[in-house]
Amino acid sequence: MNGHPLTLKLVAGLLHEEFGDEATIGQLAELGLADVGMLMSQLRGVHRQEVVQLLAVLDASFNRLSEKWRRLLLSLVVLRQAFDGTWASAMMGETVAPKELRRLAKRGFLLAEAQGYRFLPLIEEYLKFRAGDLREAHLRAIEFYESRVTSRAEWETLEDVQDYLEVFYHRCELGEYEAAFDVLRDGDDVNEFLCLRGHNQLLAELYQQLVEHLPCREDYRYTASLISLGNGYRSLGRYRDAIAVYKKSLEIARDIRDQQGEADSLIGLGSAYKSLGRYRDAIAILEQQLDIARDIGKPQGEADSLNNLGNAYNGLGRYRDAITFHKKSLEIFQEIRHRQGEADSLNHLGYAYNCLGRYRDAITFHQESLEIFQEIRHRQGEANSLINLGNAYNALKRYPEAIAILEQSLDIARDIGNRQGEATSLIGLGNAYNSLGRYPEAIAFYEQSLKITGDISDKRGEANTLLMLGNLYQKLGRVQEGFAASQQATAIYQDLNLPLDAYPIPKWQKKLVKFAERGKFHLILCFLGGLIALPLAVVWLISLILYRLIRQRFTPR
């Protein structure tokens, strides 16, 4: 049978069903299957005309089934999940005994699994070809899944909304993409639940399908799908893809004069630019969004914009300005009782205070934020709060606590596919192990983070990681590697055109540079100090190199 095991199983199942354990190939002729019998006599293991041979066997096997079993297979073929007798009975509209499914599996038409039965791809393709119009089967499937859906209060995991996702799938199969969009947004809001749980890859896939097939660009569903697709890409670290999608949604929203769509596109666009380290571009865009939100009287949009502006100023190292924006956004979110926004503002406030060295204040804000995110079951927000909380404990030299917290954030980030959060958790762990003097482990974490930041084009994160790696390499005497990493980091910082306060370098170095910038006299003093320090630095470097060489020479192998 041209090496196709399924064909062998179908023929064997057909013979066994009719003649039992002692069946032989020759008995195919007794079933009146002249064509198949002739086919079998001609084959004798020769590989030729696979498609024709396979169709002949499939047709013969299917036509020998009872009328009920043929109807059963044709009604079940639209299902993509494993099914059992209950599902089969619902799809058929009459009782289907479990033994009937078992017998179909023995005949090769179904594949038995722990969860139930499925179709092999080849059988599925054949049955869909035989069925022709599958509309009625899809409608029965929709009716069946809609009868099983549960309320939002009962949702805990992705499995709890799987019936909604199946309805979405069957609506798409019928070409009813507006109805498919409504499945995600209406009622208990499956879209929001998936966002809270961090199922970003799934969201991107769902909205990609809608964007490709929704028929009317002027329908709000199309713009909303673009924005949701952009949000999915951004959460997955695909910032450039997100920017392209946001720009498209912004263009359409402006064409149809949809101010809400314009505002949503702008806030997504600004957030994506911020993630790429383009803070000034982000601020310019977010200020436009803030004006629109105030113009149309949307306090949540205003608070979102203020919060994101604070993030952009955090990126520029202007932490006091950032705190002002975050406090304003927090007030609005608390007034309108928007718990997620409140938690976001608290978390970002904590980050700004951490950057100012007010670590205990930062911990208080991060813990408040974490409690809210856990209360509303927002997995990505929970991971972000844990990352910042771990970094604050790092700053207080409470390293075991920091490591435990950052390991939690890393687990969540990996579980929900948040690569940005994964990279940030890894660099935090690297910092903790570095401070503990466990350098090989620190390097391993930094290198993992570096790979991810490179993959997702997070230039700021890449530069920060390279700088940490460079310092650690030099500490270990790997001077050439350390110099190369530091040079790469410097080139990225210069390319991003960041102010001095945004660089992750020691405060004494920042103070020294600012001192030199105050005037010619201060610059001359720094120059004279450098002349005195340079010989000492050269002597230290030579001593370090000699020490390494001597240790390598006399260390027993």
Side-chain angles (χ1 to χ4, degrees):
M1 296 312 297
N2 204 13
H4 207 299
L6 177 60
T7 311
L8 176 62
K9 185 171 183 178
L10 288 168
V11 174
L14 175 64
L15 287 167
H16 186 272
E17 186 72 19
E18 297 293 335
F19 300 108
D21 292 342
E22 303 303 321
T24 66
I25 286 287
Q27 289 173 304
L28 284 171
E30 297 178 35
L31 298 177
L33 301 178
D35 291 341
V36 176
M38 185 181 301
L39 177 65
M40 291 300 172
S41 67
Q42 291 174 349
L43 280 176
R44 298 183 182 178
V46 177
H47 298 243
R48 61 176 75 167
Q49 300 176 348
E50 177 186 6
V51 175
V52 175
Q53 296 163 5
L54 201 51
L55 279 176
V57 174
L58 287 167
D59 279 337
S61 299
F62 182 77
N63 291 333
R64 289 293 295 177
L65 299 176
S66 68
E67 187 270 339
K68 177 185 178 182
W69 284 9
R70 291 198 298 269
R71 285 191 296 109
L72 174 62
L73 291 173
L74 294 177
S75 64
L76 293 175
V77 73
V78 297
L79 299 179
R80 60 175 185 169
Q81 282 188 302
F83 50 83
D84 57 17
T86 302
W87 293 34
S89 299
M91 292 293 291
M92 274 283 286
E94 59 183 281
T95 302
V96 176
K99 67 178 181 181
E100 295 182 271
L101 296 178
R102 287 197 298 271
R103 289 179 69 182
L104 283 168
K106 287 182 179 179
R107 293 282 289 269
F109 282 96
L110 296 177
L111 177 65
E113 295 181 340
Q115 299 85 3
Y117 296 90
R118 290 183 185 272
F119 291 102
L120 288 167
L122 182 66
I123 296 293
E124 181 180 353
E125 183 181 354
Y126 169 78
L127 291 173
K128 286 181 177 179
F129 172 76
R130 285 291 299 248
D133 185 3
L134 294 169
R135 181 173 178 79
E136 289 302 318
H138 283 298
L139 290 174
R140 284 196 300 272
I142 289 170
E143 183 180 357
F144 172 66
Y145 285 116
E146 286 180 339
S147 71
R148 291 161 41 93
V149 298
T150 56
S151 66
R152 178 70 175 265
E154 300 176 63
W155 299 351
E156 293 286 344
T157 66
L158 181 62
E159 185 62 31
D160 296 326
V161 296
Q162 191 60 47
D163 291 325
Y164 283 99
L165 298 178
E166 293 305 310
V167 174
F168 176 92
Y169 165 75
H170 289 288
R171 289 294 182 194
C172 289
E173 288 293 295
L174 290 171
E176 299 174 356
Y177 293 100
E178 294 94 339
F181 175 93
D182 294 339
V183 169
L184 299 179
R185 298 299 187 104
D186 288 351
D188 285 326
D189 202 341
V190 176
N191 173 78
E192 183 187 42
F193 175 81
L194 295 176
C195 290
L196 288 172
R197 290 297 184 276
H199 294 291
N200 302 307
Q201 183 62 46
L202 174 59
L203 283 165
E205 291 169 2
L206 295 173
Y207 284 107
Q208 179 66 52
Q209 196 169 356
L210 291 176
V211 166
E212 288 176 358
H213 294 100
L214 278 169
C216 181
R217 284 165 55 97
E218 295 187 359
D219 188 331
Y220 77 94
R221 295 179 181 87
Y222 185 77
T223 307
S225 295
L226 279 171
I227 293 168
S228 294
L229 177 60
N231 293 343
Y233 284 154
R234 182 162 53 86
S235 297
L236 290 169
R238 296 173 56 180
Y239 304 120
R240 299 190 189 284
D241 291 332
I243 287 170
V245 172
Y246 288 136
K247 284 183 175 179
K248 187 174 180 181
S249 66
L250 179 61
E251 179 186 353
I252 294 171
R254 284 173 171 168
D255 286 345
I256 63 176
R257 298 183 180 180
D258 175 9
Q259 281 193 297
Q260 184 61 61
E262 183 179 357
D264 291 341
S265 301
L266 286 167
I267 201 164
L269 190 59
S271 298
Y273 277 128
K274 175 189 69 66
S275 298
L276 285 174
R278 296 173 58 178
Y279 302 112
R280 290 178 178 80
D281 291 332
I283 288 170
I285 290 167
L286 290 166
E287 285 175 344
Q288 294 179 53
Q289 192 273 342
L290 179 60
D291 290 340
I292 295 173
R294 287 171 172 168
D295 186 47
I296 62 178
K298 293 287 184 179
Q300 182 179 329
E302 181 181 354
D304 283 334
S305 185
L306 289 166
N307 204 20
N308 279 282
L309 278 166
N311 291 339
Y313 279 106
N314 266 333
L316 288 172
R318 295 171 58 178
Y319 304 118
R320 298 190 188 282
D321 292 328
I323 287 170
T324 301
F325 282 112
H326 290 316
K327 283 184 174 179
K328 287 180 181 177
S329 71
L330 179 61
E331 289 174 8
I332 297 173
F333 281 130
Q334 288 174 334
E335 284 175 10
I336 63 176
R337 298 182 180 180
H338 190 285
R339 297 289 278 165
Q340 181 181 335
E342 182 181 351
D344 275 330
S345 296
L346 287 165
N347 193 32
H348 296 136
L349 263 174
Y351 177 83
Y353 278 114
N354 190 52
C355 292
L356 288 172
R358 295 173 58 177
Y359 305 123
R360 299 191 185 282
D361 290 330
I363 287 172
T364 299
F365 285 120
H366 292 319
Q367 286 176 332
E368 288 181 43
S369 169
L370 178 62
E371 288 172 8
I372 296 174
F373 279 131
Q374 290 174 333
E375 174 193 323
I376 64 176
R377 300 175 183 177
H378 191 312
R379 296 274 282 164
Q380 188 160 318
E382 183 181 353
N384 291 339
S385 293
L386 286 167
I387 290 168
N388 288 331
L389 188 59
N391 290 339
Y393 279 120
N394 258 341
L396 287 173
K397 300 182 180 180
R398 293 165 62 176
Y399 303 121
E401 292 167 275
I403 288 170
I405 289 169
L406 289 164
E407 284 176 344
Q408 290 181 55
S409 70
L410 181 61
D411 288 340
I412 295 173
R414 284 175 170 167
D415 185 47
I416 65 177
N418 180 6
R419 302 209 75 200
Q420 176 75 69
E422 184 180 354
T424 310
S425 298
L426 287 165
I427 199 171
L429 283 166
N431 292 341
Y433 281 103
N434 189 3
S435 299
L436 288 170
R438 295 167 63 175
Y439 303 131
E441 290 160 288
I443 287 174
F445 284 120
Y446 287 145
E447 288 177 343
Q448 289 179 65
S449 176
L450 183 62
K451 183 180 185 308
I452 294 171
T453 53
D455 289 344
I456 65 176
S457 299
D458 176 10
K459 304 305 289 183
R460 175 76 177 272
E462 187 178 355
N464 290 348
T465 309
L466 282 166
L467 192 64
M468 300 297 181
L469 266 174
N471 292 336
L472 187 50
Y473 284 149
Q474 294 198 29
K475 188 183 294 184
L476 293 173
R478 295 162 61 177
V479 178
Q480 188 172 353
E481 291 173 271
F483 179 76
S486 300
Q487 285 293 99
Q488 284 181 263
T490 302
I492 295 172
Y493 286 130
Q494 290 174 342
D495 186 52
L496 292 174
N497 193 27
L498 296 177
L500 179 66
D501 285 339
Y503 285 64
I505 58 178
K507 290 183 179 179
W508 69 267
Q509 292 183 15
K510 294 179 181 179
K511 289 179 179 178
L512 183 63
V513 174
K514 288 184 176 180
F515 177 81
E517 290 176 340
R518 288 169 61 182
K520 290 182 179 179
F521 175 72
H522 299 83
L523 181 60
I524 291 169
L525 286 177
C526 288
F527 177 74
L528 293 174
L531 288 177
I532 297 170
L534 181 59
L536 297 176
V538 171
V539 170
W540 173 83
L541 181 60
I542 293 171
S543 301
L544 178 63
I545 294 171
L546 288 172
Y547 168 73
R548 294 291 177 187
L549 291 172
I550 292 168
R551 191 175 71 170
Q552 289 176 7
R553 177 69 179 82
F554 292 102
T555 299
R557 296 182 182 274

